[in-house]
Amino acid sequence: MEIIDRLSAGDPEKKKYYIRLFLDTLEPELENLRGAHIGAPQEPIRAILHKLKSQVQTIGAADAHAMMSAHEQTIKGGGTISQSELDITCDLLSTLIQNLQDLLK
Amino acid sequence: MSKHLKIALVDDDIPNTEILRDFLIRNGYSHVDKYHDGESFLESIDRFDERAVVLDFDLSGGGELNGLEVLEALKERSPQTHVIFYSGQDSLEVAVESLKNGADDYIVKSNAAFALVKTSLDKVYDLQVLRLSEKRNQRISWALALGWLITLVGVAIFVAN
């Protein structure tokens, strides 16, 4: 959140604007991840993880970023991730979204 | 101080592009356009495009073209445009391909990426200032040479008469 804090420079409305921008992407992509078929080719999952990892990094969620990067690399390397790995990633993302929503209150 | 360098950000990541744009504006770059797919960006360029371009590799959330394809098309139409390849792919292969195709720099998205993009754009800006200064000096040299020539011709005519 450091870059957002720095750019919003004490302007709470600006900070909320940035948070909403992230939520506009994170919320629908979380639904896409939850609805993804783990048995099918996992390229669509990789594409979502790739898209989200830069955003969670900017927000400062290091754990979520590390996990998404690792899963992306696994799929890119021809491997697959398991349902439980996907569930854990979704739970992390869900917590992050909840934290961002709390900041808007 | 406002830096007169036009910049185009081409990235399908909407929030990060918005934040990077604000970051660059805060650091003195007043003219920053953004595009979320390669197609609309390519439509906007012309042969004399003077913008520096910060170009993402994976543009799959926006359009059909990836960053390397956009780079290739851009360099065909506007070879002098400076391109900073900005990618979430920490891939040597993509980095080499982008540099081979005319990118000036390759930056992997990370916590330090915004600052690295700014540093890279600062170099492009300094180069642009240097080139403008060289052109101005060249014009002054030509004007001086022409002045001397006119004087010499005048003296020669005077002596001949």
Side-chain angles (χ1 to χ4, degrees):
Chain A
M1 202 62 80
E2 186 199 333
I3 186 85
I4 294 175
D5 283 338
R6 205 166 355 125
L7 278 175
S8 50
D11 179 349
E13 286 311 309
K14 190 80 180 170
K15 186 170 178 174
K16 282 181 179 175
Y17 168 72
Y18 287 139
I19 290 171
R20 276 191 209 102
L21 275 177
F22 282 109
L23 285 173
D24 284 348
T25 309
L26 295 178
E27 286 171 337
E29 294 297 2
L30 172 61
E31 290 312 307
N32 290 336
L33 265 188
R34 285 204 193 282
H37 295 289
I38 208 78
Q42 294 192 340
E43 172 52 29
I45 297 175
R46 189 210 62 79
I48 296 170
L49 293 172
H50 177 79
K51 187 175 179 181
L52 294 180
K53 74 173 187 184
S54 301
Q55 300 191 13
V56 299
Q57 187 174 43
T58 307
I59 295 163
D63 291 352
H65 176 259
M67 188 175 283
M68 287 175 181
S69 298
H71 292 341
E72 188 197 9
Q73 284 305 316
T74 300
I75 299 171
K76 233 170 87 175
T80 53
I81 61 167
S82 66
Q83 185 64 54
S84 62
E85 285 173 320
L86 184 64
D87 289 344
I88 292 168
T89 308
C90 288
D91 290 346
L92 257 182
L93 191 57
S94 180
T95 306
L96 178 62
I97 288 172
Q98 188 58 55
N99 290 342
L100 290 174
Q101 285 168 340
D102 289 346
L103 288 171
L104 289 179
K105 287 173 190 166
Chain B
M1 188 190 74
S2 181
K3 297 171 192 163
H4 296 285
L5 175 70
K6 292 178 183 175
I7 299 165
L9 306 178
V10 188
D11 194 335
D12 60 344
D13 182 340
I14 294 170
N16 272 328
T17 309
E18 185 73 26
I19 290 176
L20 177 57
R21 182 175 178 271
D22 285 357
F23 176 78
L24 292 174
I25 288 171
R26 188 164 280 225
N27 281 282
Y29 292 102
S30 54
H31 192 132
V32 187
D33 302 321
K34 52 189 171 135
Y35 302 87
H36 297 303
D37 61 84
E39 289 83 348
S40 62
F41 165 66
L42 288 173
E43 276 173 25
S44 78
I45 62 170
D46 61 41
R47 188 150 186 80
F48 304 103
D49 204 297
E50 291 179 338
R51 288 177 296 182
V53 182
V54 181
L55 176 61
D56 182 28
F57 171 67
D58 189 337
L59 296 166
S60 56
E64 295 294 316
L65 299 173
N66 70 34
L68 284 174
E69 292 164 332
V70 174
L71 175 64
E72 201 176 325
L74 169 65
K75 285 290 176 178
E76 270 175 26
R77 293 187 213 178
S78 179
Q80 79 286 358
T81 302
H82 290 276
V83 179
I84 296 160
F85 221 75
Y86 179 57
S87 173
Q89 309 269 343
D90 191 1
S91 154
L92 187 62
E93 195 183 327
V94 176
V96 169
E97 273 306 302
S98 66
L99 295 170
K100 258 167 61 182
N101 283 297
D104 298 272
D105 206 350
Y106 184 90
I107 294 170
V108 177
K109 290 178 180 176
S110 66
N111 283 333
F114 288 0
L116 291 172
V117 168
K118 183 202 158 281
T119 303
S120 197
L121 286 168
D122 287 346
K123 285 183 197 160
V124 174
Y125 175 72
D126 289 345
L127 195 66
Q128 193 186 58
V129 169
L130 191 69
R131 279 190 187 146
L132 283 173
S133 164
E134 276 175 2
K135 270 187 190 170
R136 199 172 44 236
N137 289 344
Q138 212 169 30
R139 273 193 226 114
I140 292 169
S141 300
W142 276 107
L144 282 172
L146 191 64
W148 273 108
L149 189 66
I150 291 168
T151 308
L152 282 174
V153 169
V155 169
I157 292 170
F158 178 76
V159 170
N161 288 331

